[in-house]
Amino acid sequence: MRTINYIVIIISSFLIMSCYEYDNCSYPEVVSFNKDGGEIKVRGYDFPMNFVFSTPDTDDYLGSSRNDIAEGVDTIWGTYDWLTVKTKTYSHEIVLSAKPLEGDKGRAVRVELHFGDKWGEIKVKQFPF
């Protein structure tokens, strides 16, 4: 049942996205981390309402953001494996945090940002050097 729900969400997202305009809202298209990981803050001129993680080549759905608005916390955040993405509600700053890379193979994930009637994406990469 859960798989069917994910498939419906993905198909619905693509249908809805076809009506939206691509605009990265001045957020960077690529963010790169070194082997040690760390935290990178990026800014744009519009605030994201949510975001979705997907594979960089096949667009396979990997997860989406969560909104925490309880008890005065107003954060939109999401984690996929080695990458955490956070922003405050109505903030133009996104914080990307990567865990240290273990091994000699790089990795990448795509973060799709939704701005209401626009969408954009940040390709996040981590290299072993």
Side-chain angles (χ1 to χ4, degrees), residues 108-126:
V109 69
R110 198 170 64 114
V111 180
E112 190 175 288
L113 308 169
H114 298 215
F115 304 102
D117 62 345
K118 298 176 282 194
W119 69 280
E121 68 182 24
I122 300 173
K123 292 176 185 141
V124 183
K125 301 177 181 184
Q126 189 171 22

Side-chain angles (χ1 to χ4, degrees), residues 33-92:
F33 287 93
N34 64 18
K35 184 175 183 163
D36 298 330
E39 185 176 283
I40 296 176
K41 295 179 181 180
V42 296
R43 292 188 58 82
Y45 65 79
D46 203 350
F47 55 88
M49 296 179 172
N50 67 343
F51 44 86
V52 174
F53 297 99
S54 62
T55 57
D57 299 327
T58 60
D59 291 336
D60 289 341
Y61 174 79
L62 302 172
S64 61
S65 60
R66 298 161 187 81
N67 292 2
D68 288 338
I69 308 178
E71 299 180 28
V73 178
D74 61 347
T75 302
I76 302 170
W77 64 276
T79 299
Y80 169 71
D81 193 21
W82 56 276
L83 180 68
T84 299
V85 181
K86 288 186 202 177
T87 184
K88 293 284 188 189
T89 305
Y90 306 117
S91 173
H92 297 261

